Amino acid sequence: MSDDNAALDTSCGGSSRQHVIGACRREHRPQHEEACKKRAAELRDEILFKQPESSYHGDCPICCLPLPLDVLKSDMQSCCSKLVCKGCTYANQKREYEGRLGYKCPFCRKALPKTYEECDKQRMKRIEANDPVAMYEEGFKQDKKGNYSSAFGYFTKAAELGDAEAHNQLSLMYYYGHGVEKDRGKERHHLEEAAIGGHPRARNNLGCNEEESGNIERAVKHWIIAANQGQDESIKNVMEYFKEGFVSKDDLAATLRAHQAAVDATKSPQREAAEAYYRILDSNTEDWLKS
């Protein structure tokens, strides 16, 4: 018998060792269950409030710089499900144009699809290969069409494979009741899984949920973690609660530095050149449509 069981035997008394242990467990079950729940919550918080090493986007697979949080500054390649920054996309297109080469994926070098139908075929091929990114992309497409049941299926499969954005989308479906019954518990679960996976916007929303519940200290913890990843709304929330006395001057200073460092890490001359080019392109397109 272990020392723990021996202690139970001594404390409860009795002649039969097994009888005493069983009686002790039955008598103290509520106390043990309460302690287990408390410890489980503590362990969950250790995981939940751990600062992710990077955002769920990760790095551009070509230039190896962190991808911007703004998804409009990157391009998803339907052929290989790689998210490539606009800087690398622009550099590749410029090289192909100047060399009069055929347009290919900047990562896997497959010929770019010429129609939306070809894009769909490539994405479905990736889904057949159990690609969670492709599953999320198809789920997002179905969600925009209002096919919530289909979207839920794709998001669920992608989430099971660890896709943080899929978890975030599932949280929204449970919040709005799109294709499922509204469920704040499941909404929170998927928000937490997304946040653990490095999703800054989901983390910010978790902070807002805690704020609504009056748990300001937990809310601030979430916002600091998201701000450290470069999330703009979260840094504003941290600054606001600094004024209210919930954030120390040192913590605010450290968070401001981390936020700026995260934002600066996503910048490069190549990305700035791409942004300027696409800005001019968009402006010219808008002028052409107005004419």
Side-chain angles (χ1 to χ4, degrees):
M1 179 185 291
S2 68
D3 292 340
D4 290 342
N5 285 344
L8 290 175
D9 186 24
T10 302
S11 65
C12 292
S15 56
S16 170
R17 184 173 294 180
Q18 291 298 325
H19 171 77
V20 169
I21 293 173
C24 176
R25 285 175 176 168
R26 286 193 298 273
E27 182 179 347
H28 296 105
R29 183 180 297 276
Q31 178 183 342
H32 294 321
E33 287 181 349
E34 187 66 27
C36 285
K37 287 180 181 179
K38 182 180 178 181
R39 184 55 183 154
E42 291 173 350
L43 291 172
R44 177 66 172 177
D45 277 356
E46 287 180 14
I47 297 171
L48 181 60
F49 288 109
K50 183 179 179 181
Q51 181 73 49
E53 294 182 2
S54 66
S55 83
Y56 71 105
H57 287 313
D59 299 338
C60 172
I62 298 176
C63 67
C64 297
L65 293 177
L67 287 164
L69 297 186
D70 185 354
V71 294
L72 297 179
K73 293 184 177 182
S74 302
D75 293 312
M76 176 61 66
Q77 310 302 317
S78 61
C79 47
C80 55
S81 295
K82 293 297 183 182
L83 193 62
V84 178
C85 76
K86 287 282 190 183
C88 290
T89 299
Y90 167 68
N92 182 60
Q93 290 175 342
K94 188 172 183 289
R95 178 187 63 83
E96 291 172 337
Y97 176 77
E98 292 174 349
R100 297 184 179 182
L101 305 172
Y103 294 117
K104 295 181 179 180
C105 169
F107 181 77
C108 72
R109 312 308 299 162
K110 288 185 179 179
L112 293 178
K114 297 179 180 179
T115 64
Y116 289 119
E117 287 74 16
E118 288 183 22
C119 282
D120 291 340
K121 287 181 180 179
Q122 288 183 337
R123 184 167 56 255
M124 295 310 295
K125 189 174 182 180
R126 295 299 307 168
I127 290 173
E128 291 173 3
N130 248 16
D131 186 329
V133 177
M135 291 175 185
Y136 162 76
E137 289 292 325
E138 183 62 24
F140 186 76
K141 180 181 178 182
Q142 296 299 324
D143 183 78
K144 288 298 181 183
K145 289 181 177 179
N147 298 332
Y148 298 129
S149 178
S150 178
F152 181 80
Y154 283 112
F155 288 149
T156 299
K157 291 178 182 178
E160 289 173 353
L161 292 172
D163 190 87
E165 184 63 273
H167 276 296
N168 184 59
Q169 288 297 325
L170 285 171
S171 76
L172 294 174
M173 295 190 82
Y174 280 113
Y175 177 78
Y176 290 110
H178 288 172
V180 293
E181 291 186 11
K182 291 184 178 182
D183 190 318
R184 295 306 298 268
K186 291 182 179 179
E187 175 210 350
R188 183 183 180 85
H189 166 74
H190 287 293
L191 272 179
E192 288 186 354
E193 290 299 313
I196 291 169
H199 199 297
R201 192 168 65 255
R203 174 80 66 179
N204 180 73
N205 290 342
L206 266 180
C208 293
N209 285 356
E210 294 288 6
E211 180 188 34
E212 290 176 4
S213 300
N215 303 321
I216 305 303
E217 289 186 3
R218 290 177 66 87
V220 168
K221 283 184 180 181
H222 283 303
W223 289 330
I224 287 177
I225 292 173
N228 289 343
Q229 294 178 285
Q231 219 275 341
D232 291 335
E233 188 176 346
S234 290
I235 193 65
K236 293 177 182 177
N237 291 333
V238 172
M239 293 174 70
E240 188 64 31
Y241 275 96
F242 165 71
K243 299 175 185 177
E244 300 292 331
F246 287 93
V247 181
S248 70
K249 185 177 181 180
D250 288 343
D251 285 344
L252 175 63
T255 304
L256 286 169
R257 288 194 296 269
H259 175 268
Q260 190 60 52
V263 173
D264 290 344
T266 66
K267 296 180 180 179
S268 73
Q270 184 170 277
R271 291 181 181 183
E272 290 173 1
E275 193 169 342
Y277 169 76
Y278 288 118
R279 191 184 303 117
I280 294 172
L281 185 64
D282 290 342
S283 178
N284 291 340
T285 300
E286 186 177 345
D287 291 341
W288 178 79
L289 290 173
K290 289 180 180 179
S291 63

